[in-house]
Structure formats: C-alpha cells, structure tokens
Amino acid sequence: MSSDGKLRHVGKIETDNAVIVIIIPLMDSEINCYTCKSSRFHTYKKDDIVTFEILNAQKGSAINVRLISDENDLNVLIRAFSSGEKEYSESVETRLNEMLDNYSIDGFIKILLDNIELIVNHSKLLELKRAMDILEPEAKSLRAKLNYQTSLLLYGKAENLKSFEDEILERNLHKVNGWTSFCKSNKAKMKYGGKLYKVMPKTVKNEIIERHFKTFFSQLDKFRNQEPEYITSYTPEEIRSDENTQDIRLAKSWIYPGVDESNKGASEAKMRSARWAEKVAKKFYESLHFNVEDIAITQLNEDLKQEEWKKCDLRLRLLDVEISIDVKNARRQANGPRTRYSEYCVPEFKKGCNNTDVKIAGVFSPYIKKKEMDSGNLATKDDIVFLGETDISRINELEKAFESDEMKIEIRGKSEEKGNVIPPWVFEYPEKFYEEQRKVRNKLKEFCNSQDMEYPDLKELEELDKNPIPAFLVCGIPLPSQWKNALSEEQQKFVDKLLHKKKEFNRISLPILFLSLLTHFIEMVSSDCKDYDPNLYRQLIFTDNKKMPAGFYDPLEIISSFIETTSVLWKKDSIRFHEFESFRFLGLGLLTGKRKGEDKTILAYCGGKDPKRNNAKCGKYPLIKGREKTCSCGKLICPECRFCSVNCEEYKNRIESSRTRRVQG
C-alpha cells in the first residue's frame, strides 16, 4: 500500500485472523490496493476514514477496502481507537464522538460491551467524550469487564467515591497493584470511617485522620508540645559568677562548730551549695514576677533584733500577697543516679507572714568540691534545679487523702539528728508556673465539651504517635467510651482513681500523681492480678516526654523512675504481695509489708556510708526484695556499701571482714 505522503496511518488492531488498519487521506487521492497478482485503484476524498481489513495478513491474501458507514464499521473504529496506538487523527476522535452522541446511554454502553473483548487498551475508553457515562448505574456490567488499572482510573474520575465503595470491594480492587497510588491520588475524596478507609494503606489513612480531626489534633498538640515557660535549671557556672564575698561569708557562718579540720573544705562546699540553692530559688521566683527579698543575707547584719532569717530565707511579694520561703538543698549522693536526691531536711515547719505556713522550696544540686568552687573549673555537667514547693498543711492533706486500713503513708521521715526529712516528689511548682499550660488545658476542655465530639480510635492515634489520655485526665475530661473500653481493666481503675482525686483536690499535681500510682500499685499486687503490668501506666500519663507526666514538669523524671521500680517489684514472684496483710510507705522510698505480724522490707534506699568513697552517703536506690539479699535483721543489704541497718551485728561483721580483706590485700 503506497500513499506518497498522501495518507496518514492512525490506528491498528490485531485479532486472531485479521489485521485491521485505519488510514485517512490527507487530500483527494487514489489508493492503490493490491495483491501479488493484481492491483485496483480507488479514489477517496480528503478526511474520509478508510479501513483496510487484511485477512490472514500473508502474501497473496485478499485485501478488502471499505468506508466506515454503518454500525459494524463503528465497532471497528472503536476497537481501532482503543488499540493503544500513540498517534491518531483528531478527525477520528471527533467523528467517533459525533457518532456516539447519537446513541442513548443504553446504546452507548451496549456498543462498548459488544467490543470489550477485542479492545486492547481499555484506558483509551476514558478519553471518549462520553467517558463519564461509564460511571452511570446502567454501566455497572461494563465496569465489571474493564481491567483493574482502567477501573481504578475510572473510579478516580468520580466526584463521590462513596457510591462505588461496595463495587470496588466486590471486585477486590484494594488488593491489586496500583491501589496505593489510587488512594494517594484520591485521598481528598475519601472519607474517614468509610468502607474504603478501612482497606487503605496506613500512610493514606493517617493523612485522612489528620485532615478529619485537624482542629482536635491542633488542640491536642498544644498540650503535648507545652514546655515550662519559666526557667527551673541554672548552670553552676552561672550561679558561681553571681556569688560574692558576702555569700561566701554567710555560707561559712553555717559550718557547724567543732568540725574536724580535715572536713572543713567539704563542709564549706556543702554550705556554699546551700547558698547557691537560695540564689537559684530567688531567680526562679523573680522569673514569675514576684518581688523577692533575700532574708537569709540579713544574718550578717549586726542588728540582732532583726531575726526574720530564723523563719525563712526569702520573702515574696506580689500585689497584696506575701509569702515566706524556706529553701532546702539536696546534693546528688555517691551511688544514686544522676537525678537521685540525698534528702531534704526540715528541722521545723514554721509559721511566717500573717501566721501562714512557711513554704519549703526544694533545690537539687550536683556535688561540687570546694576547690572547684574556688577555681571555677567545675567538673560537673549537671544543672542546679529548682523542684518546687510544699508546706506542712499540704503534706498532711496528702497523707490523709491516700491512707487506708491497708496502706499507711508517712511522707515525712523522722530523725533525731535532722528532724523532718521529706522526699523530692512532694514538691510542686506554684500555680503561676502553669499559667500558659492552664490556658491550653481550658481551651481543650472547652473544645471537647462544646459539641458532640467524634474521636478516632486509640489504635489510629497510636499510628500517628498521638496519646490524648494524659491530656484528658489532667483536664478532667471523661474518656470516650471507645477509648476506655480499649484499656485494660487495671488501666480503667487507675483512670477512675485519678479522676476521683482530681475532683477531691480540684487539681492534679506531681505528688497526687505519685501517690495515686503507689496506692493503685498496692491495690493491684495485693489482689494478685495476673494481667497487671505497671508499665501500662505509661500510656495513661505520658505523651513522649518523661519530664512531663500528665502535663506536669518533673525534671528528675521521678514518675518514670517509680514506674520502672514498680515494674521490677512486680516481676519478683518471691515477694508474694498477696500474702501481706498491710503495707507502710515512707516518703523517701521505703516500702514495708506486714506478714503474720512481722514487718518485711520490700523496697528501700541505702542510708549507709560508702567506705570506698571516703564515707560519703551511699544513697543506692532502689534496693528491691528478691533482687538484693535480706539480712537477718530483716533489712535489705546494699550491694555497694553492704549496709542494712545501723545497729545490726551482721553489718558490723561484714564491714570488719571487708576491712580485713583490704588490709591483707
């Protein structure tokens, strides 16, 4: 077939017994059609559509030439149009669309159905002018015959995918190659919770959740990302640079008379650390916009009548409010972790301004030697941290609220030498510290209570690394039933307990959280609950920051460490918690249980001194029954310094044996 540039080849399809070629004359011309034995000439006008049906397509075969003019020819044109050839005349597409426009939707669908088996490239059908008619209900049988790729392209043209959810699932299109791309391309049309949503790839599903719950997540993320607005930690270098000769003179005046000459350097370092703690507390309260008066420094005044320093170290004023502060410092112990306290000694709880309780402010400091303080070459990398405040009324309130017949709680330890000793978890930051956080919480609470809220499932939230439960607990928002039902029975009981305490105290705080964890732990282990695991608390109170349990700042990570400790306790089958009749907890970390009238130590800290570290306080914590050995005196033996109790004969023998071995060695 020769055209001398007068013909344009526009399409070709192949069947089992023929090759059909479509051409269009570019001008009025003759077409030479021939076999090997003869040739014939036919004249066609410009833009006529000419179909050559080459039967057998072999040498010597007959060639039939005919014009497209009837329904059968339309079928051939449809098949050629959809054959997949890259180039075809716009005239062919125009002519085809003009012819198809004359058919009703049923006729249009019938023509496509009649040809579907011979159509090579189904996706070509989507280029037809009436392609959207293939989405009509009458065309369901046609859609069922389209290949998977074309089907996904077709459904992607639908404005409302919900109408085709069942159809897509019936055809298992969510299991074919291309489903992920389809979902990504059409995610804007997909609805949260729909049938297709359930079979989407996780990445697309997460985007739809984010879009659907955009406002809720925005409120939730504000809670999650909140950090303390005020500074609580100061570098030792910063405080040292603020130290003056009066500060050093004041610190030296605190050294106990009669201190051995060899210990004077250590005593001075301890007292200067205490003065540094007062300066840290002063900076903290000033950052909260209090007018802070340094009362402690007045000890150096010669006017003996001015003795307010005997009651407090700082006096705060804000508007008409006046508050007295007694600053207590504790330094890291020898064998404690970096964030472990020594002890906070309060010889006496005093009354201050207007006969109100003097507040005890706690500061945690690194261990710094005198020569380091003098030279400024500080070895430590740790900050001096302000932990918060408490008072005797608050301590008594906490003890009363959490005690029971089965659980005795004594937050204050007693010492003949030091008076009262209190733990770091009893401190909490003043309300002003959480001013911005409180605004965020109120907005979240208002948002959740202002409308009939829809919430995603907890599993969906886990995929997005979002945990809303701590925010709901601290805000006092009841958990949606779908969330609560997804929690274990033990978790649900803890949620109820914490919400009850919030109503009782009208707030949640670090000490309330700590005692709620402690008492719930005892309740669970006493009932010998096999499915209980203390690590389940983490989902309820942490987002992703161990320093912010339930949205409260915990710079020493006390809550996280306590959960870790209870997890170790829970795994010790040898403790047999369910056999104890009652328990007693001392604030510094001592837990004992009464079994058959006899007290047994379950959890403790070391109160001994470590001879390997110049008899520095040991402070090893935690000491756990079943992991550490138990002495005949009933106390746990510290693996570091071998201490159990002061008057224990076995302890004295162990120390003597250890000393003898060192001498002999």
Side-chain angles (χ1 to χ4, degrees), residues 610-625:
D610 193 344
K612 294 179 290 185
R613 294 178 173 82
N614 297 320
N615 284 327
K617 290 179 181 178
C618 178
K620 176 71 175 179
Y621 182 87
L623 304 180
I624 295 175
K625 181 178 175 61

Side-chain angles (χ1 to χ4, degrees), residues 320-335:
D320 296 331
V321 178
E322 203 170 279
I323 304 170
S324 299
I325 303 291
D326 188 7
V327 181
K328 298 301 177 185
N329 184 48
R331 297 185 297 171
R332 186 174 69 86
Q333 291 186 348
N335 290 318

Side-chain angles (χ1 to χ4, degrees), residues 524-579:
M524 293 296 101
V525 295
S526 298
S527 62
D528 198 24
C529 180
K530 300 297 183 185
D531 296 329
Y532 170 72
D533 182 350
N535 280 309
L536 295 175
Y537 292 130
R538 295 190 182 276
Q539 180 187 8
L540 306 179
I541 59 179
F542 287 110
T543 50
D544 53 2
N545 187 346
K546 290 182 179 181
K547 285 182 166 58
M548 294 293 290
F552 294 98
Y553 190 47
D554 178 14
L556 302 188
E557 300 181 11
I558 293 170
I559 296 298
S560 181
S561 297
F562 184 67
I563 292 174
E564 185 177 343
T565 298
T566 55
S567 298
V568 177
L569 281 173
W570 171 242
K571 294 173 183 177
K572 295 297 178 183
D573 295 332
S574 59
I575 297 178
R576 304 194 304 277
F577 278 100
H578 62 284
E579 295 182 2

Side-chain angles (χ1 to χ4, degrees), residues 162 165-166 169 174 179 183 190-202 204-206 208-209 457 460:
K162 185 176 178 60
E165 286 182 334
D166 291 331
L169 294 175
H174 60 289
W179 174 248
C183 290
M190 294 183 172
K191 304 297 183 184
Y192 171 78
K195 294 179 181 178
L196 294 184
Y197 169 82
K198 297 176 182 178
V199 295
M200 286 179 197
K202 286 183 180 179
V204 180
K205 186 181 290 187
N206 290 345
I208 292 175
I209 299 173
D457 291 333
E460 294 173 336

Side-chain angles (χ1 to χ4, degrees), residues 17 63 102 137 241 244 280 285 301 313 325 335 362 372 411 415 505 575 587 612 620 639 642 659:
N17 58 5
I63 299 177
N102 296 322
S241 67
N244 55 42
V280 163
Y285 284 114
N301 293 347
D313 300 312
I325 303 291
N335 290 318
E372 295 177 15
I411 296 176
S415 168
F505 286 92
I575 297 178
K612 294 179 290 185
K620 176 71 175 179
R642 313 301 292 163
R659 185 180 295 113

Side-chain angles (χ1 to χ4, degrees), residues 309-457:
W309 57 267
K310 292 183 178 180
K311 293 182 179 181
C312 64
D313 300 312
L314 304 174
R315 183 166 56 216
L316 316 182
R317 289 189 179 91
L318 184 64
L319 300 177
D320 296 331
V321 178
E322 203 170 279
I323 304 170
S324 299
I325 303 291
D326 188 7
V327 181
K328 298 301 177 185
N329 184 48
R331 297 185 297 171
R332 186 174 69 86
Q333 291 186 348
N335 290 318
R338 185 178 62 83
T339 56
R340 180 63 182 169
Y341 60 95
S342 296
E343 54 190 10
Y344 290 89
C345 303
V346 185
E348 180 185 358
F349 290 99
K350 307 166 188 174
K351 293 290 184 180
C353 307
N354 303 319
N355 202 35
T356 57
D357 291 334
V358 172
K359 291 188 180 297
I360 309 300
V363 177
F364 181 76
S365 301
Y367 187 91
I368 303 175
K369 297 178 180 179
K370 178 182 179 297
K371 63 179 181 181
E372 295 177 15
M373 290 180 166
D374 291 339
S375 67
N377 296 322
L378 306 179
T380 182
K381 301 297 182 184
D382 297 330
D383 288 343
I384 304 172
V385 185
F386 183 86
L387 299 181
E389 59 189 29
T390 190
D391 57 50
I392 186 60
S393 297
R394 190 168 298 180
I395 290 173
N396 290 338
E397 181 186 30
L398 288 167
E399 287 180 342
K400 183 178 179 181
F402 284 93
E403 272 192 352
S404 65
D405 293 339
E406 295 77 25
M407 186 71 183
K408 175 72 173 175
I409 294 176
E410 299 176 22
I411 296 176
R412 290 179 292 160
K414 293 289 186 178
S415 168
E416 292 183 4
E417 178 186 352
K418 302 170 184 175
N420 302 286
V421 183
I422 58 176
W425 55 261
V426 79
F427 295 112
E428 55 185 291
Y429 293 101
E431 287 188 13
K432 190 171 177 60
F433 180 79
Y434 292 110
E435 199 167 32
E436 290 302 315
Q437 285 91 330
R438 190 159 53 249
K439 292 177 183 178
V440 170
R441 295 166 192 172
N442 288 339
K443 285 183 179 179
L444 177 62
K445 187 174 182 179
E446 182 181 348
F447 175 78
C448 292
N449 292 337
S450 64
Q451 49 193 298
D452 186 14
M453 281 293 296
E454 176 190 18
Y455 297 104
D457 291 333

Side-chain angles (χ1 to χ4, degrees), residues 509-524:
S509 63
L510 195 68
I512 291 172
L513 185 57
F514 182 91
L515 289 172
S516 295
L517 288 167
L518 169 67
T519 52
H520 185 262
F521 169 76
I522 294 299
E523 290 166 10
M524 293 296 101

Side-chain angles (χ1 to χ4, degrees), residues 589-622:
L590 178 65
L591 176 65
T592 61
K594 189 176 290 293
R595 179 191 291 155
K596 297 179 181 179
E598 186 178 356
D599 288 330
K600 297 289 185 182
T601 301
I602 300 171
L603 175 67
Y605 64 95
C606 181
K609 296 182 178 180
D610 193 344
K612 294 179 290 185
R613 294 178 173 82
N614 297 320
N615 284 327
K617 290 179 181 178
C618 178
K620 176 71 175 179
Y621 182 87

